[in-house]
Amino acid sequence: MRLPKPNKIISEKYVAGLSLFKGKQSKIKLSANESALGPSPKAVKEYLKVSKNFKRYPDSDGTFLRKVLAKKFNLDPNRIILGSGSDQIFELVCKAFLKKDDEVIVPEYSFIIYRIYSKMCGAKIIYSKENNFTVSVENILKKVTRKTKIVFLANPNNPTGTFIDKKKILLLRKKLRSNILLVVDDAYYEYVKLKSYSPGLELFKNFKNVVMTRTFSKIYGLAGLRIGWGYSSRNIIGALNKIKPPFNVGRPALFAASAAVRDISWLNKEINHVNKWNNIFHKEFERMKINTNKTYANFVLLNFDKVKINSKKVFNFLANSGILVRRMDPYGIKNSLRITIGKNKENKKLISKMKNIFNV
Ligand SMILES: Cc1ncc(COP(=O)(O)O)c(C=O)c1O
């Protein structure tokens, strides 16, 4: 019998951070950079109120939330597009701009989703080298050819936690050919409090060849609702809107997000918590002689070469103790693990388990 045959998919599957280990639900999940404190209680309240009515479709354009975002960040609501996670914005960008044999530049250690969607559209991925786990603008520029269509960049970057300063990212845009689209992913921007840094949205608001993305999955604690957004010129947003699936964001997500974004005091609580634990983690891991670099997000990257232990062993030991962290093999970073900052109790348990491994 001849059966329907799907197209050959030339890509890789995204392997999500585990929440189960050996079939058992893990108590402590520090593998997906989700918020430590969870969503604002105001967002939860809104979610519960709205989620009772699921007979009706949501507003397909998310007009109310776009207005809230426009007011909050001083933007044009017509240039905002909402996605089922910022993931969907990357997907739409790839579908709208890429064709077979185009080239897409991504830093060598960057968020895997960029290359997955690019490959699905037939593009070739070109990796730019990093300097000490920091994106190198010079190297990106060296990789540009006449086939280059898009440059993807998260700032701060996942999984390295490092950032590039505003001068450098402005220089990148200036030196890139004007018809190369720059995508700046602001997923972790809230955690960086340095004068030398500015999020993509602030720098490129008025550029016609940059797309900026933001997510409600990280600091806002709404990962399970799947909601993110993008901002760009009317032309680019118009192109993305043409292919955006209708009703792509559910009503509870739209309303929870609009409450979350207005709860500044909750946001600051999460930022202070993460900054406090970033310092503690840094000191503790230094004491254990584990290599880490200074991070500007809600996770740390650990390398175990100096302590001569295999990261797989550390991963398994932690997982057997009920703590899931992220292995870095899919990201191409050897002998390393990425650990999300969790709640006080979770972080304390992680440190105590790590001390057991390293006899500190
Ligand atoms: C760099 C980066 N961008 C975006 C996201 C979030 O994607 P989404 O908004 O689809 O949850 C993540 C989550 O891991 C990320 O690390």
Side-chain angles (χ1 to χ4, degrees):
M1 185 170 51
R2 283 177 58 198
L3 291 172
K5 216 170 159 186
N7 291 334
K8 199 168 165 204
I9 310 287
I10 312 166
S11 194
E12 60 193 289
K13 184 155 167 45
Y14 183 74
V15 181
L18 295 177
S19 51
L20 294 176
F21 186 69
K22 292 183 181 163
K24 273 201 332 220
Q25 188 84 38
S26 211
K27 287 209 182 74
I28 301 181
K29 184 171 181 270
L30 304 177
S31 58
N33 303 342
E34 294 146 338
S35 122
L37 306 181
S40 144
K42 289 180 182 159
V44 176
K45 201 171 154 197
E46 201 65 16
Y47 171 86
L48 291 173
K49 202 168 89 192
V50 177
S51 63
K52 286 193 186 113
N53 182 3
F54 38 76
K55 182 173 80 175
R56 304 263 177 239
Y57 284 106
D59 168 16
S60 191
D61 298 324
T63 310
F64 178 66
L65 177 59
R66 286 190 298 112
K67 274 191 187 152
V68 170
L69 290 170
K71 189 164 173 225
K72 161 107 185 149
F73 297 109
N74 195 20
L75 305 170
D76 174 355
N78 298 312
R79 291 168 53 196
I80 297 175
I81 183 167
L82 305 178
S84 168
S86 48
D87 243 40
Q88 193 173 41
I89 309 296
F90 306 130
E91 184 186 5
L92 296 177
V93 165
C94 290
K95 280 185 174 163
F97 284 89
L98 295 177
K99 55 181 170 23
K100 196 168 175 318
D101 297 331
D102 283 339
E103 290 179 359
V104 171
I105 302 177
V106 297
E108 60 181 327
Y109 309 122
S110 49
F111 191 36
I112 292 172
I113 287 292
Y114 310 148
R115 69 181 194 233
I116 291 183
Y117 289 130
S118 301
K119 281 187 201 167
M120 278 182 194
C121 294
K124 188 173 165 199
I125 307 301
I126 308 293
Y127 294 95
S128 66
K129 289 260 167 267
E130 298 188 14
N131 288 332
N132 195 22
F133 294 108
T134 305
V135 169
S136 159
V137 162
E138 294 75 19
N139 201 266
I140 292 176
L141 292 169
K142 272 191 196 153
K143 302 284 178 181
V144 172
T145 72
R146 61 188 175 80
K147 289 186 177 175
T148 309
K149 261 293 180 57
I150 303 181
V151 174
F152 278 106
L153 210 60
N155 199 30
N157 189 26
N158 171 24
T160 57
T162 57
F163 78 94
I164 53 171
D165 65 39
K166 54 185 163 194
K167 275 194 200 142
K168 282 199 177 137
I169 199 163
L170 283 169
L171 180 76
L172 173 66
R173 182 58 276 177
K174 196 170 158 200
K175 295 255 170 127
L176 280 177
R177 217 171 46 233
S178 63
N179 65 349
I180 296 176
L181 180 65
L182 175 64
V183 179
V184 182
D185 178 350
D186 281 347
Y188 301 97
Y189 87 91
E190 295 94 343
Y191 297 108
V192 194
K193 299 280 177 219
L194 291 175
K195 275 208 177 110
S196 58
Y197 171 84
S198 282
L201 191 62
E202 274 171 30
L203 292 175
F204 298 113
K205 235 182 225 188
N206 297 319
F207 282 60
K208 291 199 165 82
N209 47 12
V210 185
V211 172
M212 291 72 75
T213 60
R214 297 219 165 159
T215 181
F216 283 96
S217 302
K218 304 300 167 189
I219 203 156
Y220 291 109
L222 302 178
L225 294 184
R226 308 306 300 124
I227 176 160
W229 54 288
Y231 193 74
S232 191
S233 67
R234 275 190 182 237
N235 259 350
I236 291 178
I237 294 300
L240 303 185
N241 266 324
K242 272 191 185 160
I243 52 171
K244 179 181 89 65
F247 315 115
N248 60 327
V249 184
R251 259 156 59 81
L254 291 171
F255 283 91
S258 66
V261 88
R262 285 178 289 189
D263 193 349
I264 297 165
S265 70
W266 188 260
L267 194 85
N268 287 333
K269 231 178 176 172
E270 170 77 15
I271 293 172
N272 291 338
H273 174 85
V274 164
N275 286 343
K276 179 185 95 179
W277 276 101
N278 250 333
N279 290 331
I280 299 174
F281 271 8
H282 200 76
K283 274 187 210 137
E284 291 289 354
F285 294 132
E286 239 176 19
R287 213 170 283 160
M288 295 178 215
K289 305 212 169 19
I290 299 169
N291 260 345
T292 67
N293 52 357
K294 180 122 186 66
T295 177
Y296 294 91
N298 64 339
F299 53 86
V300 290
L301 185 64
L302 307 182
N303 176 277
F304 299 95
D305 284 352
K306 214 163 94 185
V307 279
K308 296 191 173 63
I309 190 166
N310 191 321
S311 62
K312 215 169 169 179
K313 217 168 157 181
V314 181
F315 176 90
N316 283 330
F317 179 87
L318 291 174
N320 280 318
S321 318
I323 305 174
L324 281 174
V325 299
R326 186 63 163 250
R327 297 191 46 193
M328 285 291 99
D329 318 51
Y331 285 85
I333 306 180
K334 292 202 180 97
N335 209 23
S336 300
L337 296 174
R338 191 193 68 196
I339 300 180
T340 305
I341 290 167
K343 293 192 188 86
N344 288 337
K345 231 172 133 180
E346 296 173 330
N347 300 334
K348 281 179 192 161
K349 182 156 180 203
L350 175 97
I351 290 172
S352 126
K353 291 290 166 194
M354 292 283 277
K355 281 181 175 167
N356 286 351
I357 304 174
F358 295 100
N359 294 321
V360 178

